[in-house]
Amino acid sequence: LAVRNTLRRGRKSWVTVIGVFIGIAAVVSLVSIGQGLEFAIVEEFEALGADNIFVTGELDDRDVDIIRGVRGVEDAAAIYEETSDVEFQGEEASTNVRGVDLNRLELIFDGQGWSIEEGRELRSTDRTSTLTGPAFPDNYERAPSTGSQISVEGQSFRIAGQISAGDPQAQNSIVIGLDRAREIFDKDDEVSQIIVRTSPGFTQAETQENIEETLRR
């Protein structure tokens, strides 16, 4: 009966089939677009550091090592910060000096929302090179640029490049190696901030809880 009626009303049957096909295709397309957008948004948030946790307080290298062993932590990187007068061609300006773990620059750049605007990144062996924030040159009458020499606490550094800083505090800053920064400011193993990357499969909340519990112990 179904076959006979379908053949007898051929045009109407085909229109119905086409309508059903379009409906199914539309639903599948919308679901695919939704999943694609969700995946793209998650990727963007991860690129902005949405899978990162920031630990601050009275910290040292031992805390960094402890945090790296916490369940749910993929990696952790230390930053030491100090404010100092930075000299360029006889002019001095108060500047935020950030010492970073040069072996974990990718984690630090992702966590801070930094990227290289010009020049190059720091290398793990760099002791006399620095990166500057985008607002740093505005401190001086004759703006320093890539290749310029600046001085921090009497120690000379050559500007290797400039970062595009998402963090407002990093706009007027310079970035040097962690060990070099602590040498200059006579700090043995002090850490101002630890950036933590969460392992895949773990949420920030549960990783944060694990870190807090471990540090309390």
Side-chain angles (χ1 to χ4, degrees):
L1 180 63
V3 172
R4 187 167 63 247
N5 285 336
T6 300
L7 294 174
R8 190 166 58 191
R9 300 173 181 173
R11 183 177 298 177
K12 189 175 181 180
S13 299
W14 278 111
V15 169
T16 302
V17 169
I18 292 171
V20 172
F21 176 79
I22 292 173
I24 294 172
V27 171
V28 171
S29 298
L30 287 172
V31 170
S32 299
I33 291 170
Q35 290 177 336
L37 285 172
E38 181 184 357
F39 180 75
I41 290 168
V42 169
E43 273 198 330
E44 286 298 318
F45 273 111
E46 287 180 352
L48 291 171
D51 59 343
N52 294 326
I53 296 168
F54 299 87
V55 184
T56 58
E58 295 183 3
L59 304 166
D60 55 32
D61 286 340
R62 182 169 174 269
D63 294 311
V64 181
D65 292 335
I66 289 171
I67 288 173
R68 285 179 184 147
V70 172
R71 188 169 180 268
V73 173
E74 184 177 291
D75 201 2
I79 295 178
Y80 175 74
E81 295 184 44
E82 192 77 56
T83 300
S84 177
D85 288 333
V86 177
E87 181 184 347
F88 173 66
Q89 294 187 352
E91 288 186 80
E92 288 188 347
S94 180
T95 305
N96 178 258
V97 180
R98 296 194 177 192
V100 302
D101 185 345
L102 296 181
N103 294 310
R104 290 175 167 82
L105 276 182
E106 182 185 352
L107 172 54
I108 291 171
F109 268 63
D110 287 346
Q112 299 288 349
W114 296 348
S115 61
I116 296 292
E117 278 290 290
E118 62 177 65
R120 65 168 178 84
E121 280 191 2
L122 296 179
R123 304 186 183 100
S124 60
T125 55
D126 275 330
R127 285 183 54 82
T128 58
S129 297
T130 181
L131 299 173
T132 64
F136 173 76
D138 300 336
N139 293 323
Y140 305 93
E141 187 175 342
R142 300 177 67 180
S145 58
T146 300
S148 297
Q149 289 275 123
I150 60 174
S151 177
V152 183
E153 300 290 320
Q155 303 296 313
S156 294
F157 290 86
R158 183 176 296 277
I159 298 175
Q162 185 182 93
I163 59 172
S164 173
D167 176 6
Q169 290 185 338
Q171 297 287 323
N172 178 35
S173 66
I174 66 169
V175 180
I176 60 178
L178 175 63
D179 292 337
R180 192 79 173 97
R182 293 195 293 205
E183 284 177 15
I184 291 173
F185 298 108
D186 195 24
K187 303 293 182 181
D188 292 331
D189 61 354
E190 191 172 321
V191 172
S192 304
Q193 182 184 92
I194 302 172
I195 302 178
V196 179
R197 177 180 287 158
T198 306
S199 297
F202 289 85
T203 66
Q204 281 181 300
E206 61 183 321
T207 304
Q208 177 179 322
E209 187 177 339
N210 292 342
I211 291 171
E212 289 174 349
E213 184 180 343
T214 302
L215 288 180
R216 275 197 299 268
R217 288 204 306 269

